[in-house]
Amino acid sequence: MPELKEVIISITNRCNYKCRMCDIPFQKSKELTTSQWQKVIRDAYLIGAETIVFSGGEPLLREDIFELISYVKNNSMNCCLTSNGYLIDEECASRLHNSGIDVVNISIEGPPQIHDYLRGRGTFDKAVFALENLRKYKIESTIATMVSRYNYKYLDYIVELAKEYKATTIKFQPFNRIFLSSNCSEGNFFISKREIKRMKDMTKKVTWLCNNYGITTNPRRYLEMMPLYLSRNHFDSSFICNTLWISCPINSQGEIYPCWVLTQKDKLIGNINQDSFLNIWNSQKHRSVVEKIKKDGCPGCMMSCYDENFGRDGLETRIVTNVKRLQKEGAFEYVRRILKRWGRRFKFYNSYRGSPRQAFNRLRGLFKKKKLHKTEIDKEEIDKALKEIALIKKIFEEEIRCLS
Amino acid sequence: MDYLKEFKINLAYHFSEVLEYPFAKPYWIYVSLSHKCTYKCQMCGVVKILKGYELQTKLIKKALNEINSWNWDCVVMFTGGEPFLREDIFELINYSVNRRLKTEVVSNGALINKEMASRIINSGLQNIAISLDGAKESTHDLIRERGSFKKALDAITNLVMTKKRMNTGPQISVWTTIMKENVQELFEIIDLVKELGVECLVYHPVIVAQDDMQKTSPNAPFWISDGYIKILKEQIDKILDYQSKYGLVAFLHNPYLWLKYFESTLTKKDWKCNPFVFLNIGPDGEVRSCGSSFGNIREMSLDDCLVSKEAFNARRTMKLCQKPCLQTCWAHPESNSLLDIANRFIESIKDNKDKTKFLKETIKILEEYENLLISYKDA
């Protein structure tokens, strides 16, 4: 039962960087207009989403980005922006503050030499300057890091940096083949099996540091699995990804797929250019694509936007989040929302699983002792078989007659 | 060559399939002792399911007794996991061999040192199969685990040397799984194992989900697709050429069917499985052929499992399967058509001097079946 929580909009494929591990800037695409995106945001609100994330490319290259951020805030949703930080000078930070953005995510890959090697000369200073400006205008900043062979040894540097610039969260994302088109060499980003132990030590250190400094990061299980994943080892993904229900990506051409990884042709759910987001979300095609994925199973991935699959936050964190929400919305709204969610769940189970009485009967059936039914052979088939035997007997008798 | 016995067996499998009743007992019986293993190979789903279960020694012996009472020509294969991790493995092999059941074991070779090798050679096994997935250390280790290539080769060497010394012992064979990672080296493996002294090499195409064979999916990580299919075809040409001159490789069907399998164009016309040929006893005691379980040997006898309602339903589903999976132990193409069985029999006794006697015997067998079926009809 889809209960949409966030919509991730890749608003443009254009970028002012040409990072080593990304080929989005090379994917030309026809972008959508401002009014089209505004309609999408409005539909997302009607469906019940809570957060809109602007990503891409570099979202700040779009001239109407501030207008769209304001529109999101006017529709009482949270708004988040990912950026490489080049364009976030004082003036831009002030405009961001005025538009009401909630969180800005800056990508940092490691110490200056590593970051510059991967992204371009001088980019580290620009990213740090962006963090400073965001702090000046009291905008919450977070850091995103793509972990690979180049920077896994220096992840603690990033934690120290986050502490210094008062970023609230660091999200680590291991390198994924989908970042690069097939003709680029992806071998340099994976690690060898010998390096697994060293990376495991680093992830442990990172978890410890983040806990101490009060910086949120990916769930512990996710970080523990990263070294195995990066060494191209098969990792045990025995969960069922719930991203299909809570997060919806829309790419810069307006195409909607179940997630960032499943982008084969048969998984296309719809296109904003042809139909509204509301209609697409409630369409039969959406239901059938999700059902097929549930049936076929998904081998799992380590995209950090879906890292909740790897373990929920501890009880403490959940209590704190809920208290904050209560403070923000007020008790009435908070209780109403919980009732709405449970009401939807009950209706779903009722329709899908049958009424409580039927569930009780099923449960009783489990405890009944199994009776052994012996199989019976179909009488028609016996007749057919007898006819065949008669035919074969004739052949053998004919053979005997020929011999004698 | 006992043509009459073969005729009887073919007849039994044919009528079992047509009438959906087990007139024939299974030929291959895989006993999964437990799913514990020394490695965690990438393509193996077995280690991830039913982890806590292990078959009790008493239960296995009871099942072996029942299999013995059938008086049917069958092969008991101890598998799992890694069979040699069980302390009582040789006790079980002994028990099975003493009841004149053909016994085989498949292993990854991790635990076969010189002492274990001599125990294996003297145990009375019919065949010991070691899994080898590459001709180079890097390929095999990538698929399995670091150091596993060397251990497998050591195991094979130990077995071959011990067999030479004792001048007797089981057939030593090698099993290779065909997948994307090793498709370029399939022919090279032949040279490697020939040098070591292996007697038989069998190739198996990779399966995606061992606990649900219907889930064959072309998006799986080890699947051979696009460009690799061409490589596979070249390898098959070379292997077939070698086999026609020197033998060593055992094909249980036309090897070009592998290409169709990986392209997902294999149909029932090319290959059809017979649900009565194979039986698997899992470490939790569940008995199955492919798909849902027939019953559990902890609660009922093996015979009851074969005629239960669940078995009937499961075999029905297998009959409707549209995705043949080329696991060769599960087919009996000789018994697909009664006419073929009869013609083949006549052809085989062509040069025999007791032709009339044989033919009279076959007519007697057919009449027995007639009476049996009529009695079922009237019951």
Side-chain angles (χ1 to χ4, degrees):
Chain A
M1 250 350 231
E3 190 198 309
L4 189 59
K5 231 168 78 169
E6 69 177 17
V7 181
I8 307 180
I9 297 178
S10 173
I11 202 155
T12 173
N13 279 356
R14 289 174 286 146
C15 190
N16 45 1
Y17 284 5
K18 299 274 183 293
C19 304
R20 229 170 252 273
M21 62 283 190
C22 173
D23 70 345
I24 293 179
F26 302 104
Q27 295 168 7
K28 301 258 185 306
S29 93
K30 187 170 185 303
E31 295 176 14
L32 298 178
T33 63
T34 315
S35 53
Q36 277 178 307
W37 284 124
Q38 281 177 340
K39 190 152 190 315
V40 167
I41 294 169
R42 181 76 195 153
D43 284 349
Y45 171 75
L46 292 173
I47 295 173
E50 299 167 3
T51 314
I52 304 283
V53 180
F54 288 111
S55 152
E58 171 59 32
L60 290 171
L61 284 178
R62 274 233 7 167
E63 297 78 10
D64 58 353
I65 186 69
F66 300 105
E67 196 185 322
L68 287 173
I69 296 174
S70 313
Y71 192 82
V72 171
K73 293 312 291 177
N74 285 341
N75 277 292
S76 8
M77 291 192 283
N78 297 327
C79 187
C80 176
L81 180 89
T82 60
S83 169
N84 54 36
Y86 185 94
L87 293 166
I88 304 184
D89 53 7
E90 260 205 60
E91 188 204 310
C92 179
S94 134
R95 284 181 79 182
L96 280 171
H97 174 77
N98 290 341
S99 66
I101 190 128
D102 294 292
V103 182
V104 173
N105 190 8
I106 305 287
S107 312
I108 306 251
E109 309 301 326
Q113 305 94 308
I114 312 260
H115 184 107
D116 283 0
Y117 176 74
L118 286 172
R119 288 186 169 250
R121 208 145 34 123
T123 50
F124 181 81
D125 296 326
K126 288 284 183 189
V128 162
F129 188 53
L131 283 173
E132 275 178 16
N133 289 328
L134 289 171
R135 193 166 71 157
K136 217 186 275 186
Y137 283 89
K138 296 202 177 49
I139 301 172
E140 187 184 345
S141 60
T142 62
I143 293 181
T145 305
M146 194 206 71
V147 181
S148 69
R149 188 178 62 91
Y150 293 102
N151 63 355
Y152 77 91
K153 299 182 195 148
Y154 309 106
L155 299 179
D156 51 352
Y157 177 93
I158 303 173
V159 183
E160 300 294 345
L161 192 82
K163 175 169 172 252
E164 191 186 320
Y165 289 94
K166 297 217 173 28
T168 57
T169 309
I170 309 180
K171 286 283 178 174
F172 295 101
Q173 157 88 60
F175 173 80
N176 193 316
R177 281 194 181 91
I178 65 168
F179 298 159
L180 280 185
S181 55
S182 47
N183 54 3
C184 292
S185 160
E186 63 194 30
N188 291 332
F189 293 97
F190 292 107
I191 64 175
S192 73
K193 288 205 184 174
R194 273 176 274 117
E195 295 172 287
I196 292 182
K197 176 144 195 331
R198 192 162 169 189
M199 187 165 170
K200 273 194 185 160
D201 292 346
M202 178 51 78
T203 53
K204 270 201 205 125
K205 187 175 179 195
V206 159
T207 319
W208 186 82
L209 281 173
C210 286
N211 273 337
N212 266 18
Y213 295 153
I215 301 176
T216 318
T217 183
N218 310 78
R220 188 175 51 87
R221 254 182 73 203
Y222 179 93
L223 292 174
E224 276 171 13
M225 226 172 262
M226 261 207 307
L228 293 170
Y229 175 85
L230 265 186
S231 68
R232 284 200 259 210
N233 214 341
H234 181 67
F235 68 98
D236 181 14
S237 57
S238 48
F239 56 75
I240 301 170
C241 181
N242 64 0
T243 317
L244 300 169
W245 287 256
I246 61 171
S247 167
C248 177
I250 309 180
N251 70 8
S252 48
Q253 288 120 302
E255 295 173 328
I256 303 183
Y257 287 99
C259 67
W260 290 115
V261 184
L262 292 173
T263 48
Q264 297 94 357
K265 277 208 181 81
D266 60 331
K267 304 273 192 312
L268 178 65
I269 298 177
N271 192 317
I272 299 290
N273 282 313
Q274 283 145 11
D275 203 355
S276 79
F277 183 49
L278 192 63
N279 288 347
I280 295 174
W281 188 257
N282 289 323
S283 69
Q284 177 58 36
K285 182 90 202 297
H286 182 211
R287 264 194 287 273
S288 62
V289 167
V290 166
E291 281 306 302
K292 184 162 195 298
I293 296 175
K294 266 165 53 179
K295 195 171 82 128
D296 286 350
C298 170
C301 67
M302 288 201 82
M303 298 299 285
S304 70
C305 13
Y306 312 142
D307 64 1
E308 272 180 38
N309 285 310
F310 284 83
R312 302 178 66 191
D313 293 328
L315 188 60
E316 218 180 271
T317 330
R318 274 189 278 151
I319 291 179
V320 165
T321 327
N322 271 311
V323 166
K324 277 198 189 149
R325 211 181 262 165
L326 193 66
Q327 282 176 337
K328 220 197 240 185
E329 298 174 333
F332 181 65
E333 185 63 38
Y334 182 75
V335 171
R336 198 173 76 95
R337 187 195 327 183
I338 293 184
L339 286 177
K340 218 168 62 170
R341 195 192 326 156
W342 282 99
R344 255 190 284 197
R345 277 196 192 157
F346 181 71
K347 264 202 275 187
F348 166 68
Y349 275 112
N350 221 25
S351 67
Y352 180 63
R353 286 268 161 94
S355 65
R357 192 203 169 87
Q358 286 174 333
F360 175 71
N361 280 336
R362 260 201 315 275
L363 195 65
R364 208 172 56 171
L366 282 177
F367 288 97
K368 271 198 186 147
K369 217 171 173 195
K370 279 191 192 159
K371 276 200 223 141
L372 198 64
H373 298 277
K374 291 258 161 87
T375 56
E376 278 174 13
I377 311 180
D378 194 355
K379 297 221 162 58
E380 261 182 48
E381 294 287 338
I382 295 185
D383 285 332
K384 261 199 245 172
L386 286 170
K387 275 202 198 124
E388 267 192 313
I389 295 180
L391 180 69
I392 301 294
K393 260 172 60 179
K394 266 207 206 118
I395 295 180
F396 283 138
E397 281 162 3
E398 186 64 39
E399 193 68 26
I400 294 181
R401 221 171 299 139
C402 285
L403 288 173
S404 59
Chain B
M1 189 65 221
D2 194 347
Y3 300 114
L4 222 50
K5 192 163 170 214
E6 196 187 331
F7 180 77
K8 265 198 231 166
I9 293 177
N10 287 340
L11 219 60
Y13 279 122
H14 175 84
F15 284 125
S16 302
E17 198 182 353
V18 164
L19 301 170
E20 296 180 338
Y21 186 84
F23 291 108
K25 301 281 187 250
Y27 178 74
W28 288 101
I29 304 169
Y30 276 43
V31 180
S32 271
L33 299 170
S34 99
H35 280 178
K36 287 197 226 173
C37 190
T38 52
Y39 300 149
K40 252 187 179 171
C41 306
Q42 288 199 33
M43 71 292 186
C44 178
V46 156
V47 205
K48 300 186 180 96
I49 51 174
L50 299 175
K51 279 196 219 175
Y53 290 96
E54 229 183 85
L55 277 177
Q56 286 177 315
T57 319
K58 249 190 339 190
L59 212 55
I60 304 177
K61 287 187 177 169
K62 189 169 124 199
L64 289 171
N65 273 334
E66 245 186 296
I67 298 171
N68 185 30
S69 71
W70 292 339
N71 239 343
W72 184 261
D73 183 24
C74 57
V75 176
V76 173
M77 169 85 74
F78 287 117
T79 168
E82 168 60 33
F84 290 111
L85 276 177
R86 285 231 3 176
E87 290 121 7
D88 55 0
I89 177 71
F90 286 106
E91 190 189 328
L92 292 168
I93 296 177
N94 216 6
Y95 197 85
S96 161
V97 165
N98 284 343
R99 272 145 195 74
R100 298 223 171 54
L101 291 168
K102 293 190 261 188
T103 323
E104 301 188 8
V105 178
V106 57
S107 160
N108 57 31
L111 301 166
I112 303 183
N113 53 9
K114 291 210 174 63
E115 187 202 317
M116 182 77 91
S118 70
R119 284 180 86 182
I120 295 176
I121 301 289
N122 289 327
S123 60
L125 279 176
Q126 172 182 267
N127 179 14
I128 169 96
I130 308 285
S131 309
L132 193 70
D133 285 330
K136 298 199 197 84
E137 181 165 1
S138 48
T139 328
H140 182 102
D141 281 1
L142 185 72
I143 297 169
R144 294 191 175 242
E145 208 182 86
R146 192 144 64 111
S148 51
F149 185 70
K150 189 168 179 304
K151 288 208 186 126
L153 292 187
D154 283 340
I156 299 175
T157 322
N158 288 338
L159 287 166
V160 169
M161 303 296 276
T162 320
K163 183 169 177 188
K164 232 187 252 178
R165 215 178 46 229
M166 305 281 181
N167 222 2
T168 175
Q171 180 194 59
I172 302 172
S173 46
V174 161
W175 284 10
T176 302
T177 314
I178 304 176
M179 55 176 121
K180 183 170 80 165
E181 276 76 359
N182 66 5
V183 68
Q184 294 105 328
E185 303 179 356
L186 294 175
F187 181 66
E188 283 172 51
I189 296 182
I190 297 184
D191 278 325
L192 175 64
V193 300
K194 183 86 192 171
E195 247 185 71
L196 292 169
V198 165
E199 295 154 50
C200 176
L201 174 60
V202 187
Y203 293 100
H204 298 96
V206 70
I207 325 169
V208 173
Q210 266 110 336
D211 52 343
D212 187 352
M213 304 295 300
Q214 302 289 309
K215 269 210 189 130
T216 307
S217 157
N219 295 324
F222 324 103
W223 204 257
I224 294 183
S225 50
D226 307 330
Y228 290 98
I229 298 236
K230 254 202 314 198
I231 304 179
L232 181 60
K233 179 162 194 309
E234 286 166 9
Q235 296 286 314
I236 299 179
D237 292 333
K238 283 198 230 168
I239 296 173
L240 209 46
D241 179 60
Y242 183 93
Q243 195 247 12
S244 58
K245 298 188 194 133
Y246 310 108
L248 183 71
V249 183
F251 288 127
L252 299 153
H253 58 82
N254 171 11
Y256 289 104
L257 289 180
W258 292 328
L259 294 170
K260 281 196 158 186
Y261 171 71
F262 284 112
E263 283 168 347
S264 300
T265 55
L266 196 64
T267 59
K268 281 197 116 120
K269 292 208 184 103
D270 307 306
W271 186 257
K272 180 164 72 96
C273 79
N274 185 323
F276 295 87
V277 174
F278 172 82
L279 206 65
N280 179 32
I281 306 178
D284 52 354
E286 297 285 327
V287 174
R288 29 164 69 90
S289 226
C290 141
S292 40
S293 145
F294 295 0
N296 195 316
I297 54 169
R298 288 189 201 167
E299 297 154 15
M300 43 216 247
S301 72
L302 207 50
D303 278 317
D304 283 339
C305 289
L306 285 176
V307 297
S308 68
K309 186 120 184 116
E310 283 85 6
F312 175 72
N313 288 333
R315 288 193 208 118
R316 260 275 163 91
T317 319
M318 280 182 247
K319 238 181 156 176
L320 301 168
C321 166
Q322 293 303 321
K323 279 184 169 175
C325 58
L326 279 189
Q327 296 306 300
T328 52
C329 29
W330 299 357
H332 208 263
E334 300 95 353
S335 10
N336 279 343
S337 141
L338 197 55
L339 204 55
D340 278 341
I341 299 175
N343 284 333
R344 221 179 304 125
F345 180 76
I346 295 177
E347 186 66 30
S348 63
I349 60 166
K350 198 167 48 165
D351 302 317
N352 202 302
K353 48 187 168 78
D354 294 316
K355 268 200 264 214
T356 325
K357 189 175 101 173
F358 276 125
L359 288 167
K360 289 210 174 121
E361 284 286 335
T362 52
I363 295 186
K364 228 197 279 177
I365 297 171
L366 285 168
E367 277 170 0
E368 273 173 23
Y369 261 105
E370 261 183 339
N371 295 335
L372 183 66
L373 289 178
I374 293 176
S375 75
Y376 269 113
K377 197 164 121 172
D378 298 334

